[in-house]
Amino acid sequence: MATLSELLPVEAVRLDVAAPDWREAVRAAGDLMVATGACTAAYTAEMIRNAADNGPYIVLAPGFAFAHARPSPAALRTGMSWVRLRRPVEFGHETNDPVTLVAGLAARDASAHTAAMAELARLLADPGAVRALHEARTPQAAHDVLTGRAEPLRSAVAGPGRGAVVHKILTVCGNGLGTSLFLKHTLEQVLDRWGWSRYVEVEATDTVSAKGKASEAVAVLTSREIARTLGDVGVPVRAVEDFTSAVEVDAVLRDTYDV
């Protein structure tokens, strides 16, 4: 699985980009991936359509949006981009607007980028790293923060062992490729801290698959927008506003298990 430094070249990082609205912010992220050979312009259009069709669930943390679409022929290789906007824009999210930082992902498949997503989720959970991304004066400086070359960030929490799994929790987004992986990583961190990792399996999936898999799970964690799309799936559907917040996910997990 590719790391963030392998998927995000410094040429795909731009700072202080002028974007009048969320569509142009997503387009800026897509244009960088086109310029670096990760996708065609058709993929950029697919990212915009994904956000338009599924709502602002891609705004997965305060001030941060993760633009992506399903794997398609328009994604030439798995790659990423990073945009810092000159002025924040509204995506329509109830709590995480306005957005200043936008990451783009062109995915060839559902697995090649999972390690990079874990890295990015960990970085965005670190207030010092987020501050450094806002204060970076050059694309290289921002790239150094994103790829861990600037200064040591907090160590990753060890991933959970599979062991004797008793329960399953689904983390869900529109495509099952990006935002759900952020939430999966944060949930696994919380479970690891609780000592519950061997008892709970976390699976990231998309909205269509989630409806079929819900019967296997004890709960579904997702955004408010996707929760509305899912409706009643027979198990509790818990909305999470900040997919990188271990504090919020901890509270949701406690509510789910009445701890």
Side-chain angles (χ1 to χ4, degrees):
M1 293 182 288
T3 64
L4 198 55
S5 61
E6 292 172 316
L7 297 184
L8 179 65
V10 68
E11 294 81 9
V13 177
R14 282 191 63 196
L15 306 182
D16 303 325
V17 173
D21 55 38
W22 71 263
R23 285 181 171 82
E24 290 306 309
V26 172
R27 191 182 309 281
D31 287 347
L32 284 171
M33 294 191 293
V34 172
T36 52
C39 66
T40 68
Y43 187 83
T44 300
E46 290 169 10
M47 292 198 301
I48 294 172
R49 186 162 55 250
N50 175 52
D53 291 348
N54 293 304
Y57 80 95
I58 64 171
V59 187
L60 53 84
F64 172 71
F66 186 69
H68 62 289
R70 291 182 180 276
S72 79
L76 305 177
R77 61 174 176 80
T78 300
M80 295 182 65
S81 63
W82 182 267
V83 172
R84 188 179 72 195
L85 301 175
R86 181 179 303 169
R87 294 184 179 85
V89 300
E90 300 283 335
F91 274 64
H93 197 280
E94 294 180 16
T95 58
N96 291 336
D97 269 347
V99 169
T100 304
L101 304 175
V102 182
L105 169 71
R108 286 288 293 172
D109 57 51
S111 61
H113 59 286
T114 54
M117 295 304 94
E119 287 181 73
L120 189 54
R122 185 171 69 251
L123 183 144
L124 292 171
D126 183 338
V130 174
R131 185 170 58 253
L133 289 169
H134 281 287
E135 295 175 354
R137 295 187 177 184
T138 66
Q140 183 65 63
H143 188 263
D144 287 347
V145 176
L146 289 163
T147 57
R149 295 192 181 98
E151 58 183 53
L153 302 175
R154 290 185 225 172
S155 298
V157 176
R162 292 281 168 165
V165 173
V166 176
H167 291 170
K168 176 185 285 188
I169 295 177
L170 301 178
T171 61
V172 181
C173 70
N175 299 311
L177 295 174
T179 50
S180 60
L181 291 173
F182 274 87
L183 186 53
K184 177 179 187 290
H185 175 74
T186 304
L187 177 55
E188 287 177 338
Q189 284 186 316
V190 173
L191 289 168
D192 191 71
R193 189 161 60 238
W194 282 25
W196 283 23
S197 296
R198 59 180 172 171
Y199 305 118
V200 182
E201 176 187 11
V202 184
E203 181 179 348
T205 189
D206 61 273
T207 50
V208 174
S209 300
K211 293 179 180 180
K213 295 178 178 180
S215 61
E216 307 168 7
V218 296
V220 172
L221 269 61
T222 187
S223 67
R224 194 181 303 275
E225 293 78 16
I226 297 298
R228 296 190 188 107
T229 299
L230 286 175
D232 184 2
V233 293
V235 298
V237 178
R238 308 294 189 190
V240 178
E241 300 294 346
D242 184 348
F243 281 23
T244 66
S245 172
V247 173
E248 183 180 357
V249 171
D250 183 284
V252 170
L253 195 62
R254 289 177 186 276
D255 182 62
T256 300
Y257 282 99
D258 194 23
V259 174

